[in-house]
Amino acid sequence: MARSRVRVGNGQGFWGDSPLGPVQLATRADIDYLTMDYLAEVTMSILRKARNRRPEAGYATDFTEVLERVLPTCIERGIRIVANAGGINLDACADACEATVQELGLSGVRIGLVSGDDISHRLDELMASGETLSNLDTGESLQARRADVLSANAYLGATGIARALAEGADVVVTGRVADASLTVGPLVHEFGWEPAELDALAGATIAGHVIECGTQCTGGNFDRWDEVPSFEDIGYPIAEVEADGSFVVTKPGGTGGMVTVDTVTAQLLYEIGDPRRYLTPDVVADFTSVTLRQDGPDRVAVSGARGGPPTGTFKVSVSLSDGWKAVGQLVVGGRDAARRAEATAALLWSRLAADGCHVDPSHRLVEVLGTGVLFPGMVEPPPGPEVVLRVGVRDPDRRKVDRFGRELASLLLAGPPGLTGFAAGRPKASEVVSHWPCLIDRSRVAESVAIREVA
């Protein structure tokens, strides 16, 4: 019998979030689905760099560690898992998941794999057929940077996730999908929504957006932080969704944090662009259409969502090789610390230039932390006995970047007095992988679903 309400809990807001979230939701919450959101644009670049070093890398390795902790409980309680942990190496992630299931001694576990987002191998064919893949910020065609491309992934939607669940997957792993689609997919599967049920899809998308960043809607990163009880055991979010797309945001009983209209509103407004046209592969959601009301302690009801048809394009995240960079820091202590830090940075650039390693000023970083550089002009910085000098460079020439790291270390003896805190060692050059956002006709992207059953 179809459920009248579906409970989706999100246990990961990014790759690097605490493993306590999935464990908390799997063991202490009444949920039907456990989602884990690992990917962001910067994460895709990190995964690309990792795979450059090791062909078997390129996925969120934390996911298999979490599976080891929660999968037996989820199987026992009938909780199905959906995660975009596949990154840019879905096959390697699937192999690792299968090995984890075997190590746990579980059998009959079905792993659903949603692929088709990786279009790296098709770029020449696509551009030859008229897809310019122009940068959304600059308008430049990708053809001009074709030689620098490392990866290209389209943002898929909920369809493949729903299909994998319909085919009996206990765990669904995807590559790049839109963040909110991790929540929308289970709801499409459960409620059987058709593509034309735009208001329901909009409500589900808004629910997914609210919980996608984990505890950011339950008191984490909240400006009135001193009102938030017990960060130590902060509750991870749950969306209780009805068949019409309305939902309640809550958290497991007895956990810390808080769910209020203010905490939910703060997340609702996070990274949305035009609130009337929040573009996803599943629907265009109007965030201004919803009403929020407190529905009891740690419960916020959200209703009234309106949606429009999705666009005819998918967003694509392309990563490019874009030179080299290094960042280092020194602690500068004593009287006139800030002035000596500025003088130290100026000395560094002069010494590099004198050795034939001039770096364009636009590719230099100088921050004197402790003087209000994070919010310039907003807060008067207090005078202090120490500051942190943070300096960095970026250049196509790796030799210059490596030379920067060596010269920074020399300033401990060759610069102004009071320079300390070089415990991390001299900085080394690392590859810059930049983000190129663009669009592709969605008909050019072929999504597919496969099921692996672990015997």
Side-chain angles (χ1 to χ4, degrees):
M1 190 172 83
R3 293 186 175 99
S4 60
R5 175 182 298 163
V6 178
R7 298 172 176 86
V8 182
N10 183 46
Q12 293 280 282
F14 64 100
W15 188 22
D17 204 350
S18 171
L20 296 175
V23 172
Q24 179 195 97
L25 289 169
T27 60
R28 299 167 62 184
D30 179 14
I31 58 173
D32 306 302
Y33 291 89
L34 171 61
T35 63
M36 290 176 249
D37 184 8
Y38 287 96
L39 301 183
E41 286 77 11
V42 68
T43 316
M44 300 297 284
S45 297
I46 291 169
L47 293 173
R48 179 69 263 175
K49 291 173 72 172
R51 194 171 184 184
N52 285 349
R53 294 190 295 268
R54 294 187 301 116
E56 69 275 17
Y59 66 93
T61 51
D62 291 5
F63 178 58
T64 51
E65 298 172 13
V66 170
L67 270 189
E68 187 175 355
R69 298 183 66 173
V70 305
L71 185 57
T73 300
C74 287
I75 295 295
E76 180 183 345
R77 299 185 62 197
I79 300 169
R80 303 169 84 176
I81 297 171
V82 181
N84 55 11
I88 63 168
N89 199 346
L90 184 63
D91 288 337
C93 184
D95 291 342
C97 291
E98 190 168 345
T100 299
V101 173
Q102 291 171 340
E103 289 168 7
L104 290 169
L106 301 173
S107 61
V109 176
R110 295 171 65 84
I111 302 172
L113 306 175
V114 180
S115 61
D117 62 296
D118 187 352
I119 60 170
S120 306
H121 58 293
R122 300 177 53 213
L123 289 179
D124 293 327
E125 162 216 332
L126 290 166
M127 288 190 285
S129 66
E131 294 285 347
T132 62
L133 304 176
S134 299
N135 189 298
L136 288 172
D137 297 322
T138 68
E140 182 183 7
S141 170
L142 185 61
Q143 188 63 56
R145 298 293 305 274
R146 178 65 184 91
D148 299 322
V149 173
L150 299 173
S151 64
N153 296 79
Y155 287 64
L156 302 182
T159 305
I161 296 170
R163 277 182 53 197
L165 293 169
E167 293 180 24
D170 302 295
V171 179
V172 179
V173 184
T174 76
R176 196 51 173 121
V177 299
D179 298 346
S181 297
L182 295 172
T183 296
V184 179
L187 299 173
V188 169
H189 165 64
E190 291 283 349
F191 294 130
W193 290 331
E194 297 295 332
E197 295 183 71
L198 298 171
D199 292 346
L201 289 167
T205 295
I206 294 172
H209 173 78
V210 169
I211 69 173
E212 72 189 29
C213 292
T215 56
Q216 198 159 270
C217 70
T218 61
N221 201 21
F222 185 56
D223 60 349
R224 300 201 303 277
W225 62 274
D226 52 349
E227 299 176 10
V228 179
S230 184
F231 281 108
E232 291 80 4
D233 187 31
I234 190 168
Y236 279 71
I238 301 167
E240 300 178 350
V241 188
E242 307 289 336
D244 63 356
S246 61
F247 61 96
V248 169
V249 186
T250 187
K251 63 183 183 67
T255 58
M258 62 186 192
V259 181
T260 68
V261 169
D262 286 345
T263 66
V264 173
T265 299
Q267 171 59 24
L268 189 67
L269 299 176
Y270 180 72
E271 292 185 342
I272 61 170
D274 182 350
R276 289 183 173 83
R277 285 181 52 77
Y278 183 74
L279 306 179
T280 79
D282 307 308
V283 69
V284 175
D286 180 359
F287 279 46
T288 69
S289 63
V290 296
T291 299
L292 283 68
R293 64 177 176 83
Q294 200 71 41
D295 191 43
D298 293 319
R299 294 179 63 83
V300 172
V302 184
S303 60
R306 296 288 179 266
T311 67
T313 55
F314 283 141
K315 183 180 177 182
V316 177
S317 178
V318 179
S319 63
L320 304 175
S321 178
D322 210 7
W324 301 87
K325 69 175 181 178
V327 179
Q329 65 183 41
L330 297 170
V331 176
V332 185
R335 188 174 57 190
D336 293 332
R339 189 161 63 90
R340 280 183 290 112
E342 295 282 2
T344 299
L347 174 63
L348 173 64
W349 309 130
S350 295
R351 288 170 68 93
L352 288 171
D355 197 33
C357 291
H358 172 76
V359 177
D360 188 291
S362 66
H363 290 169
R364 302 174 189 167
L365 168 73
V366 177
E367 292 180 333
V368 181
L369 303 179
T371 63
V373 294
L374 295 182
F375 303 101
M378 292 179 62
V379 179
E380 184 66 27
E386 70 271 328
V387 295
V388 174
L389 171 63
R390 185 168 182 262
V391 286
V393 295
R394 173 178 172 177
D395 199 90
D397 186 347
R398 181 172 184 171
R399 180 185 63 88
K400 289 185 180 182
V401 177
D402 279 329
R403 183 71 182 82
F404 157 83
R406 293 196 298 273
E407 196 60 37
L408 179 63
S410 78
L411 299 180
L412 290 168
L413 298 180
L419 306 183
T420 60
F422 204 61
R426 69 188 188 194
K428 295 180 174 59
S430 63
E431 184 184 14
V432 175
V433 179
S434 61
H435 175 234
W436 180 285
C438 55
L439 300 176
I440 187 172
D441 189 308
R442 64 193 298 149
S443 66
R444 303 292 188 92
V445 178
E447 186 176 55
S448 62
V449 172
I451 302 291
R452 292 191 189 186
E453 183 166 350
V454 184

